[in-house]
Structures are given as C-alpha cells and as structure tokens.
C-alpha cells in the first residue's frame, strides 16, 4: 500500500454556476520514504493540491467535487473532523513558504513546538524533547533559543523551527510548500540539505512543491509537472531533467538560466498562465505551445504512460520537429 | 519598564501645563468674568465686586491669573469655585468619581458585549448572525448620543423601570447602606448603557475585522495543519493576535467615552465631570473650568498610557523603553 494516493482529485472554488475548477483530475502516488517534487508556475494548483492532502483548504469557498485522497489507505475527503486532526501533524506535516508568517508572532517558539508535541506525543512534551528537535534541525544553542519569539530569529532559523515543529510528531509525509522561496540563496541550500539529511535519517516521504527546477535535480525521486490545474508530465526526476517530454516541461527547462552559455537574454514562455476559470478549451497549454496543432484545442489529451514510469499529457510528445531549446519563442512573439 | 512608566508620567507634565495654559487663554478671550453679572445688581456696590475680583486675581491679566493658579496647584490646592463657594478640589473629586463610575461601567458593558459579538460574527461570517450584528452595528453607529440619551429618558419615564436622570434618589442619605448601593446601581444602569451603545458598535466591527484578518493568516493555517482543534486555533492562535489592534483602540475608546460622557451627563443629569465643566463654563467659574479640563486630560492620558502598557504586555514585539 502506498503512503499517499491521490486519485483523480477535482476541486472547485465557489459553487454551482460560478464554480472555478482549480484542481482538475490530479492523480499522484507517493510511496513511503519517497521524495516527489510538484513543479509549476504560480497559480497552477500545486499548493491547493498539497493542502488537500490534510483537507486544509477551507470549504467554502473550496469544494471537493470528485476523487479520493488515500492516506495510509483511508480517504481524507471522507474523514470526520476528529480523524482529520489526528492525521494533521500525525501522518502529514507541513512546512510553508514564509517561515515568518507561519509562526505565531506572539508565542515563544519553545511553546509552539511543545504544543505540537502535546497534541501528538503527549508523553514527550518536555523542554528536553524541544531542545532535541531544535538540535536535530541544526539550531545552535537551542537551550537559549526556546525562549525566543519568532521575530527574534532570522528567516533561515525560523524555517528550521518550522521544520522542527513539523518533525515533532514524527510524520510519515512532510509536505514542504516552497520552503526556500522566501530565503536567500545560501540559506536555501542549507535548508534543502537539512531536508535531505532528515529524510535519510528519519525515513519519511517528502512532497516538495517548488517552481525552481534547480531544486528538483538535487532532491526528487520523481517529479510531477503541473499546468493549469492538471498534471502534464510525471516522471522519474533524472529522466525528466535529461529528456523532458511535454512541450511545457521543455519550455520550462529552456527558461532556466544556465551558468555556462552564451544566451544574452533569458528565454521565456510566450503568453501568460491561463487564469483559473478561463482555461482554454482542449489542451490548456495549446495557446502557448510551439508545436500546437489545430486539433489540440478540441479535446483535453489524456495523461498517458509513454515509457516505463513516464506519463505525458500530450499526444505529440514524440514530435522532435521543433526541438525546444534556449531558442524557444520569446515573449511577444506570437 | 519602570523607567518607561516614569518617563511617560513625566511627559504628562508639559502636556497638562499646555492644556491648562490654553484653557486659561481661551477663557480670557471670552468677555467678562464670574462677577460681571453682579455689577448689574444695584444692591451690590461696585467696590464689593472689585474687592471680590481682586481676591481671586480676576483684575489681573490672564497669564498672571495662570501663575497664581499654577502656584497653588503645585501645593495641591486647585483653587476655589466662585459659584459653589467651596474649594474646587472637593467638588471635583466627587464629580470625577461619578464620571469614572459611569465611564468604567460603560467600558465594561461596551467591551463585554462587543468582543464576544465581534468574535461570534467573525467565526460565523456571512451567516444570519453576522448580518444581524452588522445591522445592529450600523444602527448603533448612526444614532447620535443625544438622541439615544433622550430616548433613554423617555423610556425611563414611560416605563418607570429606571429613575429619570440623576445619580441617586432624594432620600439617598436616609437609606441603609445595602439599599444605598442598589440605589446608585439603579441610577447608573441607563446612562452607562446609553454611553456604551455608541462605542459598542465600532468595537464590535473592529473585533470582527481583526479576527477575520488573523483567521486568514498563514500561522492559522499552520496551526490547523498541526492538528489543533478549531476552537484552539480560533481562541488561542487567532484571537491572541487579533486582540492587539483592539488594545490600541482601547485608548481611543476611553477618549470617546469621556467626550460622550459630556453629552450623556448633561442630558441625563448625571452629576459628573462633564456636566460640572459645562456649568462652570457657562457661569464663567474660570478656575473650576481649568481644573475640570486638566482632570479630563489627565484621565485621557492615563487611559492611553494604560492601553500602551496592555499592548506591550500582550504583544512581545513591542518593547517599552
């Protein structure tokens, strides 16, 4: 049994006629101890997908219209509030983007970590355990730090506290939603190293949400690329980075700046991310796709396994006619 | 911390000096003084009036009067009420106590009703409860104190459930102490409710919007994500942050209550500082006016100071130096 199985998840914002589909048929499996990256531009639905794992998207305005989220074989969408509280923290823990905003500003960090312990490991809700956790995430002089308020710490230290808090309950799955986006680059590397190290030592699975493809290569076993509420490519990380199949993934890779190269400007994907509720008919990437054909706008293509373990939502993925490289169409070219 | 308290109290001195100086100046700009009216009385000789004026230094320019007043205040003597013929201090202490009682109970009523209602409205956002609270707040904000006071008086007169104005019944001094207490409370209820009503609506709306803001905060989602129950999330994590802006309002609310008390006291015949100030002002009982204004200012400054201390106590990010 897999740790997490998301099956054909569909989620709307709003109800009835005004409903906007934010997540449209997302299926994703995470095995115990596996690291999966969820990649995509802002607004593609990756955060709401991740929050759904513990049903954390408030309903209303959100509305789960279909699918299942099996965590340890139990459907999260059918759980009672009491059961939900048990899995939140107990099975799946979260680390969010802005550590400064995710810690409650008016409570000491020791108090906040102890709160998690009290909830999930009441016998361990002691200062010693808090200090052990802070040591685990590499906070120097934890004995004096437990008395600190969040605003007395740097962003990197705050994120370590968030991670310590997430680990307090010994979860099976750690969901890290862009955990390094708000931090500066040297701290980013430290936090990512910490996550890989903890994963190795504690054997938990990680779902890492990012829009930074650079992180994917270092961290992920598998990658899911999301676009406009759908997964467009799902693949082992190494193969995806070596040979992306979906035109969107290719374009994303092409827009990553290279350290060695001669391109004098960054290539960008032409056009904009379609707004939720305003998705184009058929393939949602078609209006921005360099290899789009007229039939692409007629029917949404299926996510098909084209090679062992590699899924692509594009019938023309084999089309090598236009190899999308750094010479991808520039912004403004239509 | 203590040095901060000391510093704030020191800051009060120049403020009170300025306020008293300004009051003296403004009083001197109005023509005449308390004894001007006596000159119209043929039975009192102009010599007598001149003597009385000289006794209170009213024949001197206003800044000289001010220094005489200040000299006495430093020695703890707040001057003499020309209209009441008693020392201003004894007059003010009683009235100040009445105003304090009225404002204090109005404060308790206003906050005691507004905070739970605001929380309730925020937690049940867009429900009929929330809409009803909004309507109630809208009416509360729209009805002026004057009208509300008059309505309350009419209500008291029509039903006979409450005394019409005043702070105690005529036979107060002859009542046993338990009944004296009840008598005071009975007189206090209606003015306190009227005074609270004007403030209540604003506090409730603010509580609602502050709590809604914090409920959207990321640390609230993070708290839920750790498996905390909804009650714990709202009342510990969200409310503890939502209350901070309200503590700032607490200082303003005190100011609003004091100025509201002026109107309510005058209409509902509550013998408080506001009413005394108005009476003294119309009688040109100048020292009493200045004393009243200084007292009201002091009350206000202390109220703001208390609000600042509360905020510093509640929000660890604020350090008092």
């Amino acid at each position: 049994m897999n740790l997490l199985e998301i099956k054909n998840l569909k989620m709307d914002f709003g109800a009835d006629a005004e409903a906007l589909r934010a997540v449209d048929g997302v299926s994703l499996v995470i095995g115990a101890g596996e690291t999966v990256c969820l990649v995509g531009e802002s607004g593609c639905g990756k955060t709401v997908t991740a929050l759904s794992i513990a049903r954390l998207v408030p309903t209303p305005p959100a509305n789960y219209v279909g699918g299942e989220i099996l965590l340890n074989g139990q459907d999260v969408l059918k759980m009672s509030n009491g059961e939900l509280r048990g899995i939140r923290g107990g099975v799946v823990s979260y680390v969010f983007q802005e550590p400064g905003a995710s810690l409650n500003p008016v409570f000491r960090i020791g108090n906040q970590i102890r709160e998690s312990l009290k909830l999930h490991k009441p016998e361990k809700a002691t200062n010693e355990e808090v200090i052990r956790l802070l040591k685990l995430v590499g906070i120097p002089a934890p004995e004096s730090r437990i008395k600190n308020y969040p605003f007395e710490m740097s962003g990197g230290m705050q994120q370590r506290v968030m991670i310590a808090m997430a680990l307090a309950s010994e979860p099976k799955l750690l969901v890290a939603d862009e955990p390094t986006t708000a931090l500066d680059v040297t701290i980013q590397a430290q936090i990512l190293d910490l996550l890989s190290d903890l994963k190795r030592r504690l054997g938990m699975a990680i779902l890492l949400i990012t829009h930074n493809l650079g992180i994917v290569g270092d961290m992920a076993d598998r990658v899911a690329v999301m676009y406009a509420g759908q997964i467009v490519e799902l693949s082992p990380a190494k193969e995806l980075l070596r040979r992306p199949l979906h035109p969107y993934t290719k374009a994303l890779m092409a827009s990553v700046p290279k350290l060695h190269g001669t391109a004098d400007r960054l290539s960008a994907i032409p056009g904009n991310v379609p707004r939720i509720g305003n998705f184009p008919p058929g393939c949602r990437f078609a209006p921005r796709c360099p290899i789009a054909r007229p039939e692409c706008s007629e029917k949404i293509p299926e996510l098909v396994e084209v090679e062992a373990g590699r899924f692509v939502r594009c019938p023309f993925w084999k089309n090598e006619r236009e190899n999308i490289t750094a010479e991808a169409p520039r912004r403004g070219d239509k | 911390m203590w040095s901060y308290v000391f510093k704030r109290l020191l800051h009060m001195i120049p403020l009170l000096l300025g306020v008293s100086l300004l009051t003296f100046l403004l009083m001197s700009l109005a023509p005449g003084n308390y004894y001007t009216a006596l000159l119209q009385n043929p039975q009192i000789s102009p010599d007598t009036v001149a003597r009385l004026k000289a006794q209170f230094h009213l024949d001197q320019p206003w800044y000289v009067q001010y220094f005489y007043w200040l000299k006495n205040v430093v020695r703890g003597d707040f001057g003499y009420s020309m209209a009441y013929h008693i020392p201003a201090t004894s007059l003010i202490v009683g009235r100040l106590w009445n105003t304090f009682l009225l404002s204090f109970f109005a404060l308790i009523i206003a906050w005691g009703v507004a905070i739970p209602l605001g929380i309730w409205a925020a937690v049940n956002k867009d429900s009929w409860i929330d809409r009803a609270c909004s309507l109630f707040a809208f009416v509360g904000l729209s009805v002026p104190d004057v009208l509300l006071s008059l309505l309350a008086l009419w209500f008291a007169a029509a039903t006979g459930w409450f005394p019409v104005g005043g702070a105690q019944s005529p036979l107060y001094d002859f009542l046993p102490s338990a009944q004296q207490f009840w008598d005071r409370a009975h007189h206090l209820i209606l003015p306190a409710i009227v005074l609270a009503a004007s403030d209540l609506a604003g506090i409730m709306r603010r509580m609602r919007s502050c709590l809604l803001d914090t409920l959207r905060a990321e640390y609230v989602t993070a708290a839920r994500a750790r498996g905390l129950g909804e009650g714990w999330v709202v009342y510990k994590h969200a409310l503890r942050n939502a209350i901070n802006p309200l503590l700032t309002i607490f200082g303003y609310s005190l100011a609003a209550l004091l100025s509201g008390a002026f109107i309510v006291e005058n209409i509902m015949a509550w013998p408080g500082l506001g009413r005394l100030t108005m009476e003294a002002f119309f009688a040109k009982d100048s020292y009493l006016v200045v004393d009243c204004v200084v007292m009201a200012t002091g009350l206000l400054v202390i109220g703001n100071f208390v609000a600042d201390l509360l905020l510093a106590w509640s929000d660890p990010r604020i350090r008092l130096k």
Side-chain angles (χ1 to χ4, degrees), chain B residues 114-173:
Chain B
I115 297 295
L117 270 188
I119 294 171
W120 200 25
V123 172
N124 300 295
K125 183 171 171 280
D126 292 334
S127 64
W128 67 269
I129 294 168
D130 183 28
R131 301 237 165 82
C133 285
S134 295
L135 182 72
F136 173 67
F138 187 67
V139 173
L141 283 170
S142 314
V143 177
D145 281 0
V146 180
L147 182 61
L148 208 58
S149 307
L150 290 172
L151 284 175
L153 281 185
W154 171 78
F155 175 77
T159 60
W161 295 345
F162 293 100
V164 183
Q168 44 192 245
S169 46
L171 297 175
Y172 178 78
D173 290 333

Side-chain angles (χ1 to χ4, degrees), chain A residues 56 85 88-89 92 94 96-98 101-107 111-112 115-116 119-120 149 151-152 162 165, chain B residues 217-230 232 236-238 240-241 244 314-319:
Chain A
L56 279 170
R85 284 207 296 278
R88 291 173 180 171
V92 49
Y94 284 82
F96 295 104
Q97 181 170 348
E98 292 261 4
S102 318
L103 288 164
N104 195 320
V106 301
F107 297 112
N111 176 329
Q112 297 192 46
E115 191 181 58
S116 286
L119 213 58
H120 298 287
Y149 287 100
F151 73 95
E152 293 169 323
M162 280 306 291
M165 207 181 294
Chain B
E218 222 169 285
Y219 54 77
V220 169
T221 308
R224 283 199 189 106
R226 292 203 291 275
L228 296 174
E230 194 56 27
W232 196 250
K236 184 183 172 192
H237 285 267
R240 193 60 182 62
N241 282 281
N244 289 342
S314 164
D315 190 338
R317 284 165 294 186
I318 293 170
R319 291 274 177 273

Side-chain angles (χ1 to χ4, degrees), chain A residues 149-281:
Chain A
Y149 287 100
F151 73 95
E152 293 169 323
M153 306 182 111
S154 67
M157 285 295 146
Q158 287 175 340
Q159 196 58 298
R160 284 171 196 267
V161 171
M162 280 306 291
I163 295 171
M165 207 181 294
L167 297 179
S169 48
E170 295 169 20
K172 300 270 187 302
L173 172 65
L174 179 71
V175 179
D177 186 356
E178 308 209 16
T180 58
T181 307
L183 307 174
D184 55 63
V185 184
T186 48
I187 309 295
Q188 283 187 15
Q190 289 176 14
I191 295 289
L192 291 172
D193 285 348
L194 173 68
L195 282 178
S196 341
D197 179 50
L198 288 171
K199 175 195 139 95
R200 209 170 40 244
R201 281 157 63 183
L202 307 177
M204 62 191 174
I206 294 181
L207 175 62
L208 183 66
I209 299 171
T210 178
H211 55 244
N212 183 349
L213 281 169
I215 291 176
V216 172
D218 297 338
M219 299 284 296
D221 299 320
R222 285 188 304 130
V223 185
V225 180
M226 269 188 94
Y227 186 79
Q230 297 177 326
I231 290 183
V232 294
E233 180 161 3
L234 180 65
S235 165
K238 285 204 184 71
E239 289 173 46
L240 180 121
L241 290 176
R242 207 179 55 232
R243 190 168 59 92
L245 299 182
H246 194 280
Y248 175 62
T249 320
K250 290 180 188 173
L252 266 188
M253 302 267 292
S255 56
V256 174
K258 306 275 190 313
L259 209 50
H260 310 287
T262 51
D264 49 20
R265 64 187 284 186
L266 285 176
S267 79
I269 307 174
N272 287 316
V273 185
R275 294 271 301 267
I276 175 175
N278 204 10
F279 293 148

